[in-house]
């Protein structure tokens, strides 16, 4: 009796399958033809999405120019998507009429493991939480601790590992290496615990990191599958929903363990006698400055079985680990294909290295890690990062929902309840924005004519760090950390080759993040200096 409606689902499912089959046959006959997606009865444009799922972002990027950079996309007859990459529409959604385009309740359900945190919040709740996050991330002690941790991870983890791989001549998967490095970095700075995944010789699987990847992969499925479909799968515990439930369990157990460990530490310090004040001061000053410390004693965050605190910690991990860990492999991919850019970056690093060597004795065999203040003036290095994020934004789409009916600057009428999809991936490939060479990796496009300054690009044209009231709070932290990592690798190592024989093509996986599907295997050689 509980599933009385299942027979009614058979008809639309059969229709979708038949349409998908016909479209597949059609697509094999004319692979170079990319017309706007067909709006089919009942199924809407879902068949077109299914047929092109393996290259969805490229498909949308190819379709949008032929539609004037925006089109309405009904799915399963009950859901309407408005897909756009028009900067005027982006500015309207994120800034001019921001209140009318919240993330919405369905978004909070899609990412229910972060429910209640800034990641899913809207309105007044979002403003209040954002102020708290901003207060935490602006702490000078925390910022210094994060910079020191990044330096330490690069010096004692990343570079020795790469040197070992260079000596053996074995290829390394830079995607996996970066993922481990950034997971270690953010587990340390968010939770105060160092998993040391990168330094272990056998490179064991990362259960928690894999669980975070699963959240984003299944979140992508939830984005494109009608709500009732994925909720039915969740009820039956089948398909991707079964994987997601297991992943959420891993994340909740891990964060709860970290919280309980921290509370025990805080309680043990709190029990020190009055005449032990000096000992307490030593413990406090030597302890790791982390984000968890700002929340662990706040009653608001440990009521309701710690759900909000866990969701908050997972959000911090996602914001840092997933964004930087997704971006850096694409950065190294682009740099490996463009040795002239690597040479340009090294030319800017050379004076810093020379000054260092002249100021203090330097072991010729030692590897060099640059400080954030040293790298701050290196706009060409930053331009190389931004250019990679233009072509491969860590979050390729943004999703908002309409509260009240509206007319977009592009002239499209959108109704209350419509879902707005903004394709960041397509925005980075618009000739109107970036010129006829928009498909090419060219850091110079970010520089002033004399090359001495970064050219200003409004956030509604370059959305990698979001825009308006939702501008990324950790933007400067992320850029600084990426510059530290990239500068150290490029100065100390040569990257040899991009695709090794037998490696599958480098392409994104189906996820809310633009992660590499098959990784990126490279060979490295130690530079002689």
């Amino acid at each position: 009796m509980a599933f009385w409606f299942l027979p009614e689902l058979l008809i639309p499912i059969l229709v979708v399958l038949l349409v998908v089959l016909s479209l597949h046959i059609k697509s094999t006959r004319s692979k170079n033809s990319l017309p706007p997606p067909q709006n089919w009865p009942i199924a809407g444009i879902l068949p077109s999405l299914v047929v092109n799922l393996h290259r969805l972002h490229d498909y949308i990027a190819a379709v949008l120019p032929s539609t004037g950079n925006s089109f309405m996309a009904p799915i399963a007859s009950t859901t309407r998507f408005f897909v756009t990459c028009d900067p005027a529409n982006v500015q309207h959604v994120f800034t001019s009429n921001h209140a009318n385009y919240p993330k919405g309740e369905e978004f909070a359900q899609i990412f229910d493991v972060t429910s209640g945190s800034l990641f899913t919040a809207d309105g007044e709740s979002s403003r209040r939480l954002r102020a708290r996050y901003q207060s935490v991330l602006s702490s000078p002690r925390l910022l210094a601790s994060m910079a020191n941790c990044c330096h330490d991870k690069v010096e004692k983890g990343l570079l020795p590992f790469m040197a070992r791989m260079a000596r053996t001549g074995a290829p390394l998967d830079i995607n996996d290496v970066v993922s481990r490095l950034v997971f270690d970095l953010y587990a340390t700075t968010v939770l105060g615990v160092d998993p040391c995944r990168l330094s272990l010789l056998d490179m064991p699987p990362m259960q928690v990191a894999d669980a975070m990847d699963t959240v984003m992969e299944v979140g992508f499925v939830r984005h494109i599958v009608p709500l009732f479909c994925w909720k039915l799968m969740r009820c039956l515990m089948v398909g991707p929903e079964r994987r997601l439930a297991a992943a959420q369990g891993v994340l909740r157990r891990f964060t709860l363990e970290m919280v309980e460990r921290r509370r025990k530490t805080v309680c043990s310090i709190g029990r020190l006698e009055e005449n032990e004040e000096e000992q307490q001061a030593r413990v406090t000053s030597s302890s790791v400055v982390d984000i968890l410390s700002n929340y662990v004693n706040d009653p608001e965050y440990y009521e309701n079985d710690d759900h909000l605190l866990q969701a908050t910690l997972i959000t911090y991990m996602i914001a840092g680990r997933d964004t930087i860990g997704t971006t850096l492999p694409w950065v190294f991919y682009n740099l490996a294909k463009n040795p002239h850019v690597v040479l340009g970056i090294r030319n800017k690093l050379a004076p810093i290295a020379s000054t260092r060597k002249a100021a203090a004795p330097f072991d010729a065999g030692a590897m060099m890690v640059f400080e954030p203040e040293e790298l701050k003036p290196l706009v060409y290095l930053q331009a190389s990062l931004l250019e990679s994020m233009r072509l491969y934004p860590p979050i390729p789409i943004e999703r908002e929902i309409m509260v009240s009916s509206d007319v977009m600057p592009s002239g499209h009428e959108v109704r209350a309840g419509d879902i707005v999809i903004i394709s960041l991936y397509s925005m980075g490939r618009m000739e109107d924005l970036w010129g006829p060479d928009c498909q090419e990796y060219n850091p110079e496009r970010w520089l002033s004519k004399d090359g001495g300054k970064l050219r200003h690009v409004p956030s509604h044209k370059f959305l990698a760090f979001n825009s308006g009231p939702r501008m990324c709070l950790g933007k400067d932290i992320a850029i600084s950390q990426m510059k530290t990592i990239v500068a150290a690798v490029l100065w100390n190592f040569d990257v040899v080759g991009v695709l090794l024989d037998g490696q599958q093509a480098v392409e994104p996986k189906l996820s809310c993040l633009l992660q590499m599907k098959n990784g990126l295997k490279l060979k490295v050689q130690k530079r002689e200096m």
Side-chain angles (χ1 to χ4, degrees):
M1 294 296 293
F3 305 110
W4 58 267
F5 54 87
L6 284 178
E8 297 183 14
L9 295 177
L10 293 178
I11 294 177
I13 290 172
L14 288 174
V15 171
V16 169
L17 290 175
L18 289 173
V19 173
V20 167
L21 179 60
S22 65
L23 281 178
H24 177 67
I25 295 172
K26 180 179 178 181
S27 67
T28 58
R29 291 176 179 173
S30 55
K31 291 184 179 179
N32 294 326
S33 176
L34 291 176
Q38 178 70 40
N39 182 13
W40 296 89
I42 302 178
I45 70 160
L46 186 58
S48 297
L49 295 182
V50 172
V51 168
N52 293 282
L53 203 57
H54 64 290
R55 58 185 190 106
L56 184 61
H57 298 302
D58 286 312
Y59 172 68
I60 293 174
V63 166
L64 277 167
S66 66
T67 65
N69 296 325
S70 304
F71 65 89
M72 192 62 69
I75 293 182
S77 74
T78 58
T79 306
R80 295 202 335 158
F81 285 78
F82 177 67
V83 183
T84 185
C85 65
D86 186 333
N89 290 342
V90 173
Q91 187 174 31
H92 182 74
V93 169
F94 281 90
T95 306
S96 306
N97 199 13
H98 171 70
N100 196 38
Y101 296 88
K103 296 177 181 179
E105 179 58 32
E106 187 174 335
F107 184 89
Q109 293 180 55
I110 289 174
F111 294 106
D112 46 4
V113 75
T114 63
S115 178
S117 70
L118 182 60
F119 189 65
T120 59
D122 283 313
E124 181 57 36
S125 176
S126 176
R127 286 187 286 273
R128 181 175 57 82
L129 288 171
R130 185 177 175 86
R132 179 66 184 272
Y133 281 55
Q134 189 165 23
S135 173
V136 171
L137 292 175
S138 61
S139 163
R141 287 190 68 210
L142 177 64
L143 292 175
S145 178
M146 295 179 79
N148 290 336
C149 182
C150 185
H151 184 285
D152 187 64
K153 284 292 169 190
V154 171
E155 182 180 40
K156 299 177 182 178
L158 178 63
L159 296 184
F161 176 81
M162 296 186 74
R164 186 165 64 248
M165 299 301 288
R167 286 194 299 271
T168 63
L172 58 84
D173 184 347
I174 197 70
N175 188 64
D176 187 45
V177 171
V178 166
S179 178
R180 292 171 183 275
L181 168 69
V182 179
F183 181 76
D184 281 359
L185 174 59
Y186 275 86
T188 304
T189 55
V190 174
L191 305 170
V193 58
D194 187 354
C196 296
R197 292 298 186 187
L198 183 57
S199 61
L200 298 177
L201 294 177
D202 57 352
M203 295 287 277
M206 297 190 299
Q207 189 180 26
V208 178
D210 291 343
M212 294 173 69
D213 289 343
T214 299
V215 168
M216 289 300 168
E217 291 165 17
V218 181
F220 180 80
V221 175
R222 286 182 169 186
H223 270 301
I224 63 175
V225 171
L227 182 66
F228 77 91
C229 286
W230 68 257
K231 284 197 170 184
L232 177 60
M233 287 190 288
R234 184 178 64 180
C235 180
L236 298 174
M237 272 296 141
V238 296
E241 290 297 321
R242 185 175 181 177
R243 288 177 53 225
L244 179 61
Q248 290 178 341
V250 169
L251 291 176
R252 290 192 175 110
R253 286 192 297 271
F254 175 69
T255 52
L256 183 59
E257 179 186 344
M258 296 301 103
V259 170
E260 290 177 345
R261 179 186 299 182
R262 176 52 51 82
R263 285 185 180 144
K264 289 178 180 177
T265 303
V266 171
C267 289
S268 65
I269 294 176
R271 287 194 295 267
L272 292 172
E273 298 294 332
E274 290 294 330
N275 59 5
E276 295 178 329
E277 289 183 359
E278 292 185 3
Q279 181 183 354
Q280 179 174 350
R282 285 196 300 272
V283 172
T284 303
S285 64
S286 63
S287 62
V288 176
V289 181
D290 56 51
I291 289 172
L292 175 55
S293 301
N294 292 272
Y295 294 92
V296 71
N297 288 323
D298 189 335
E300 179 183 357
Y301 285 86
Y302 58 74
E303 292 176 352
N304 192 26
D305 297 327
D306 285 321
H307 173 80
L308 179 57
L309 179 54
Q310 290 177 282
T312 299
L313 297 174
I314 293 170
T315 294
Y316 274 112
M317 290 289 290
I318 288 174
R321 176 261 177 187
D322 285 3
T323 302
I324 299 176
T326 300
T327 297
L328 282 177
W330 292 110
V331 171
F332 287 116
Y333 170 71
N334 284 311
L335 292 174
K337 294 198 303 179
N338 294 273
H340 68 284
V341 177
V342 174
L343 180 60
I345 294 172
R346 286 175 177 164
N347 288 340
K348 300 296 183 181
L349 292 171
I352 302 174
S354 297
T355 302
R356 284 264 208 99
K357 292 177 181 178
F362 187 80
D363 182 357
M367 290 181 283
M368 187 171 293
V369 181
F370 299 91
E371 301 296 337
E373 289 303 314
E374 295 175 319
L375 298 175
K376 202 169 185 178
L378 271 60
V379 293
Y380 188 71
L381 172 58
Q382 185 164 336
S384 70
L385 303 179
L386 298 177
E387 178 68 349
S388 193
M389 298 181 81
R390 175 185 73 85
L391 289 169
Y392 302 100
I395 301 175
I397 62 170
E398 285 280 355
R399 169 195 170 117
E400 318 293 331
I401 192 167
M402 290 286 303
V403 174
S404 303
S405 297
D406 196 7
V407 178
M408 291 285 181
S410 60
H412 292 81
E413 295 183 4
V414 283
R415 302 193 301 242
D418 286 351
I419 295 171
V420 178
I421 298 292
I422 296 167
S423 175
L424 283 68
Y425 188 89
S426 301
M427 287 184 71
R429 288 161 167 76
M430 290 178 64
E431 282 197 31
D432 293 345
L433 284 180
W434 306 103
D437 66 341
C438 61
Q439 299 283 349
E440 299 175 12
Y441 179 76
N442 178 21
E444 281 79 8
R445 75 174 79 248
W446 290 90
L447 302 177
S448 59
K449 289 184 178 180
D450 62 2
K453 294 182 180 179
L454 283 173
R455 183 170 65 89
H456 173 68
V457 177
S459 59
H460 64 273
K461 295 182 179 181
F462 176 66
L463 206 57
F465 293 102
N466 221 305
S467 182
R470 292 201 182 118
M471 180 68 74
C472 175
L473 294 172
K475 174 183 176 181
D476 292 339
I477 296 172
I479 289 177
S480 177
Q481 290 175 337
M482 288 192 290
K483 288 171 80 171
T484 297
I485 295 166
V486 172
V489 171
L490 296 188
W491 184 256
N492 294 289
F493 296 94
D494 287 314
V495 176
V496 182
V498 177
L499 292 179
L500 298 176
D501 292 341
Q503 180 177 344
Q504 299 182 50
V506 178
E507 58 185 23
K509 66 167 69 172
L510 294 179
S511 171
C512 291
L513 300 171
L514 203 71
Q515 295 174 318
M516 289 183 174
K517 181 178 180 180
N518 302 309
L520 178 62
K521 291 185 178 179
L522 305 174
K523 286 188 177 182
V524 293
Q525 291 179 350
K526 183 74 172 64
R527 288 184 69 209
E528 298 296 333
M529 291 177 287

